Amino acid sequence: MKLLPRLFSRRPAFSAALAPDQAFYAVGDVHGCDAQLERMLDTLAAGGHPTAALVMVGDYIDRGDESAAVLSRLFEIQQAAPQGQMICLKGNHEAMLLAFLDDPARNGPRWMRHGGLQTLASYRIAPPMRPDPADAWHAARDQLRAALGEDLELWLKALPTRWQSGNVLVAHAGAQPTLPVEAQPEDALLWGHPDFLTRCRTDGLWVVYGHYITDNPEPADGRIPVDSGAYATGRLTAALVEPGKASYIHSE
């Protein structure tokens, strides 16, 4: 029997033009690095795009030492900004904080392992440890809730998981590549999807995302990464997304 050669078909490469409805800045994961955030915001304010919206991709807290200052800064700036000019998205670390507020004894140990220790410390709250009784976790939750204040807690709860301009989607951890925007599960937007970094979308939608630390971020295959690991590298990254191009700004 003659064997026929196996035929392989290549998936089509992503080729859609970058076409947001407006120019905007997307700032990567801050993770408690308030000094870098302040410098980045000053740089963007002087960047010559006064009408460009500012989109924060989430993960404002944990790992770095200044989570309380970061949340206060972002909340105050957004409250004062014109409607739609500043968008703060939810990241998986904000989701863990909110889960801690909801059920501290159950969700607290996981959050502590992923940076919650530093966030509590930024509010001068002693973190419980896993063997501690439920009462200790509830006491820490009550202290954090009081430190945040009602307005900031409500702001955190209301953070959206995605924002879109033209054919550009911004979501903290990207998106499931085979599903349209309106069908995206929240877990994919906050925690990522196993196919996101390897499979191109076929609907012409670009995705700006954080969550995955990238040493030298650049636009490729419909993806625009903006997380440069500020808490570990001291380098905060933003992308200026415009019709036809995306460029990067770094703050250290």
Side-chain angles (χ1 to χ4, degrees):
M1 181 176 66
K2 184 177 180 180
L3 297 177
L4 297 176
R6 184 180 296 176
L7 299 178
F8 293 92
S9 60
R10 294 185 62 188
R11 291 176 180 170
F14 187 91
S15 60
L18 193 58
D21 292 331
Q22 62 182 110
F24 67 89
Y25 292 107
V27 178
D29 304 31
V30 178
H31 276 306
C33 297
D34 188 57
Q36 288 92 330
L37 175 61
E38 182 179 24
R39 287 193 290 272
M40 175 63 77
L41 294 175
D42 288 344
T43 297
L44 299 186
H49 282 270
T51 62
L54 175 63
V55 185
M56 306 293 303
V57 305
D59 278 9
Y60 314 120
I61 60 169
D62 299 348
R63 305 201 188 280
D65 294 329
E66 301 172 311
S67 292
V70 169
L71 288 181
S72 179
R73 183 184 300 278
L74 292 176
F75 174 72
E76 291 175 6
I77 293 174
Q78 189 179 49
Q79 294 299 108
Q83 182 71 25
Q85 195 63 21
M86 182 178 184
I87 299 91
C88 292
L89 300 180
K90 184 187 297 182
N92 61 305
H93 284 261
E94 286 75 51
M96 284 191 284
L97 181 154
L98 292 170
F100 171 75
L101 293 177
D102 182 57
D103 191 340
R106 179 179 180 181
N107 300 317
R110 182 192 190 195
W111 185 38
M112 295 303 106
R113 292 195 303 271
H114 294 282
L117 285 168
Q118 289 89 346
T119 295
L120 289 185
S122 74
Y123 285 102
R124 301 180 181 276
I125 298 169
M129 295 293 107
R130 181 180 285 276
D132 289 344
D135 287 352
W137 290 97
H138 282 82
R141 184 272 309 276
D142 293 344
Q143 292 177 64
L144 178 59
R145 178 163 276 158
L148 288 171
E150 183 179 3
D151 289 346
L152 187 51
E153 181 179 345
L154 290 174
W155 178 77
L156 286 166
K157 288 179 176 178
L159 293 176
T161 55
R162 57 183 168 87
W163 180 82
Q164 186 171 352
S165 178
N167 73 335
V168 187
L169 172 71
V170 187
H172 174 67
Q176 186 168 336
T178 59
L179 292 179
V181 172
E182 60 275 10
Q184 291 291 323
E186 185 172 277
D187 275 359
L189 300 173
L190 293 178
W191 294 91
H193 186 274
D195 294 336
F196 172 65
L197 295 178
T198 58
R199 183 167 184 167
C200 293
R201 299 189 66 86
T202 59
D203 58 3
L205 187 71
W206 284 79
V207 182
V208 181
Y209 65 98
H211 192 66
Y212 304 95
I213 295 176
T214 306
D215 291 336
N216 297 296
E218 61 180 25
D221 297 325
R223 294 181 288 267
I224 303 175
V226 291
D227 181 10
S228 53
Y231 72 93
T233 66
R235 189 185 197 206
L236 183 63
T237 292
L240 172 59
V241 181
E242 305 173 273
K245 64 179 180 178
S247 53
Y248 283 97
I249 305 100
H250 304 286
S251 176
E252 299 187 16

